[in-house]
Amino acid sequence: MREVNVAIADDNERILDMLGEIIEQDQDLNLIGKADNGEDIYHLIKEKKPDVVLLDIIMPDQDGFSILKVIRSSQNYTPVILLSGRGEDSAQVKGLELGADDYITKPFSKTVLVSKIRAMVRRTNQYVSSS
């Protein structure tokens, strides 16, 4: 597997740092940037073009749903995995219907998170190579 560039956004500094450490500890993953708000993650996505984005839903300036809408309305189909403490079905359905590729409820397993990132990239690369 080629190195996977990952961008992450979470307004909780402790979770943002933990996510960064998880990404940096995996030899196949490359952390290309962290953001603690919606505006910064949107600019990071536009500038650095990550392979996968980990996006928290609850943030102070714009929630993850709003950011996801902006990303998808700009015809950007970078895989997005939503992260949230909100585990109810309605939040998950809303995220997926807005264009998220997956939804992970906090707290989450490091192993499951990394596996989902890898699976997302495999599916995306498979789709691109078959087009």
Side-chain angles (χ1 to χ4, degrees):
M1 174 181 252
R2 68 171 177 78
E3 190 172 68
V4 176
N5 293 318
V6 181
I8 55 177
D10 198 301
D11 66 322
N12 182 314
E13 186 178 345
R14 187 177 62 79
I15 293 174
L16 192 61
D17 289 343
M18 179 192 63
L19 288 168
E21 288 174 15
I22 290 170
I23 301 305
E24 290 172 338
Q25 290 172 358
D26 190 284
Q27 65 185 12
D28 294 328
L29 304 180
N30 178 43
L31 179 63
I32 60 167
K34 301 190 289 189
D36 63 2
N37 65 71
E39 185 175 334
D40 288 351
I41 193 64
Y42 181 71
H43 291 296
L44 182 65
I45 293 166
K46 281 180 63 175
E47 291 172 17
K48 299 214 176 172
K49 301 186 182 354
D51 298 308
V52 176
V53 176
L54 302 179
L55 179 61
D56 184 28
I57 291 178
I58 300 172
M59 291 193 283
D61 61 339
Q62 297 178 50
D63 67 19
F65 294 136
S66 300
I67 299 159
L68 183 58
K69 282 182 195 176
V70 172
I71 292 168
R72 293 303 185 238
S73 70
S74 66
Q75 303 299 307
N76 183 324
Y77 300 106
T78 300
V80 174
I81 299 174
L82 292 176
L83 303 172
S84 181
R86 296 178 58 189
E88 65 271 11
D89 289 351
S90 61
Q92 294 182 43
V93 168
K94 180 177 181 177
L96 295 168
E97 287 183 352
L98 288 173
D101 298 280
D102 205 342
Y103 189 108
I104 299 175
T105 305
K106 297 174 188 175
F108 52 83
S109 155
K110 169 187 168 181
T111 310
V112 170
L113 176 65
V114 170
S115 293
K116 285 183 177 248
I117 292 170
R118 290 171 185 263
M120 188 75 49
V121 171
R122 270 194 316 272
R123 283 193 305 272
T124 304
N125 288 340
Q126 192 173 43
Y127 175 75
V128 169
S129 64
S130 67
S131 300

